[in-house]
Amino acid sequence: MSAKWFISNLSASAVLCLSLACGSLSAQEKDTVFIVKYDTVYLQHEPEVIETSKVSPSRYDRRVHRYRKHWEALIPTYTKIQYAGNMGLISLGAGWDYGKRNQWETDVYLGLLPKYRSECSKVTMTLKQNYIPWSLQIKEGPFSAEPLTCGMYLNTVFAHDFWVSEPSRYPKGYYGFSSKIRIHAFLGQRLTYDIAPKYRISAKAITFFYEISTCDLYIASAFTNKYLKPKDYLSLSFGLKLQLL
């Protein structure tokens, strides 16, 4: 009888200790409790302490940060490919978008001009400035439209047959323009598809665009030659833009 009473009393004591331990845990939710076979072990939780450095960056650290920030700004944010546009049959380029709504773009292209009836093919270079005043989301989907794009660009041809200043073989003032550098103006529209994050590989958006352009020489010819039609001084071009960043 004494042995049974001892075991019963020991079980009751264990239940009482467990009840007291659980009661104390309700007041301290962040404590850790380990329950072993015959007893309850109570461990106090130590709060985590995060130490922050109060040392301000040195002049060298600030200079390195500015240095890296300026060089990062030179990384192109997109690439483009364009067909026609008086800048080559095919032109490949890269550029940067900026502004509060990324409404400004600056492009640099290298183009290929086939030889056609000339002696050899030629390489062109184009510096282009774009302005996109509006971007409209289409029914909250992945597509958006830019109903108007406009801008200007300078184009040059790398060849000995073209010149900036009038050659001496011509009478002074015979040609009032440069055959090597052309100034263009354009209007166009765009349609953009935003790629879902899980499907992105190298680009986050793809844009299709078309442009109608003309150049300074064509404009002068249109005003001085009334018989010219729009197809004689306007050019249509198409292109794709891959938004990388």
Side-chain angles (χ1 to χ4, degrees):
M1 294 296 292
S2 60
K4 292 182 179 180
W5 178 87
F6 177 75
I7 294 173
S8 176
N9 190 23
L10 181 60
S11 301
S13 300
V15 172
L16 179 61
C17 293
L18 182 60
S19 301
L20 292 176
C22 293
S24 62
L25 286 177
S26 62
Q28 302 180 12
E29 296 180 357
K30 296 183 178 180
D31 295 336
T32 303
V33 176
F34 294 93
I35 301 177
V36 295
K37 186 174 181 180
Y38 297 108
D39 205 348
T40 301
V41 180
Y42 178 84
L43 297 178
Q44 183 70 26
H45 178 75
E46 294 293 337
E48 295 182 358
V49 178
I50 301 176
E51 297 183 359
T52 59
S53 175
K54 298 181 180 180
V55 179
S56 59
S58 63
R59 293 178 60 185
Y60 171 79
D61 294 333
R62 292 194 296 268
R63 186 185 67 80
V64 170
H65 177 73
R66 291 194 301 268
Y67 177 81
R68 290 178 175 175
K69 184 178 180 180
H70 292 161
W71 277 104
E72 288 175 355
L74 298 178
I75 301 175
T77 57
Y78 58 81
T79 60
K80 286 184 178 180
I81 179 172
Q82 182 168 332
Y83 170 77
N86 290 316
M87 50 193 288
L89 180 65
I90 293 291
S91 299
L92 298 175
W96 304 262
D97 47 11
Y98 47 92
K100 293 182 179 180
R101 296 174 285 103
N102 287 336
Q103 71 272 26
W104 293 99
E105 292 181 351
T106 301
D107 306 338
V108 178
Y109 288 93
L110 286 177
L112 177 63
L113 186 63
K115 63 179 182 179
Y116 295 119
R117 297 181 181 179
S118 60
E119 296 180 357
C120 61
S121 301
K122 301 174 181 62
V123 176
T124 68
M125 183 176 181
T126 303
L127 178 63
K128 187 176 182 182
Q129 184 65 37
N130 311 306
Y131 178 62
I132 307 99
W134 308 289
S135 180
L136 306 177
Q137 197 76 17
I138 300 177
K139 294 184 179 180
E140 299 183 356
F143 289 95
S144 59
E146 287 80 36
L148 174 64
T149 62
C150 56
M152 300 182 67
Y153 55 96
L154 298 176
N155 174 259
T156 186
V157 182
F158 297 105
H160 298 292
D161 300 334
F162 300 88
W163 35 264
V164 177
S165 299
E166 195 173 69
S168 58
R169 64 177 180 268
Y170 298 109
K172 186 176 181 179
Y174 186 80
Y175 287 105
F177 58 88
S178 167
S179 63
K180 191 176 183 65
I181 299 176
R182 296 268 64 81
I183 303 175
H184 300 257
F186 72 90
L187 294 173
Q189 292 181 323
R190 298 183 179 185
L191 180 65
T192 299
Y193 173 72
D194 292 324
I195 304 174
K198 62 180 180 179
Y199 297 119
R200 293 175 183 173
I201 300 177
S202 59
K204 68 176 185 179
I206 301 176
T207 300
F208 168 79
F209 64 89
Y210 78 90
E211 297 172 354
I212 298 176
S213 62
T214 187
C215 68
D216 51 353
L217 182 59
Y218 290 172
I219 293 175
S221 299
F223 279 101
T224 56
N225 300 280
K226 300 300 182 181
Y227 62 86
L228 294 178
K229 298 180 180 180
K231 66 178 182 179
D232 297 323
Y233 53 84
L234 296 179
S235 299
L236 178 63
S237 60
F238 302 91
L240 285 176
K241 171 188 173 184
L242 297 179
Q243 190 72 37
L244 305 178
L245 302 177

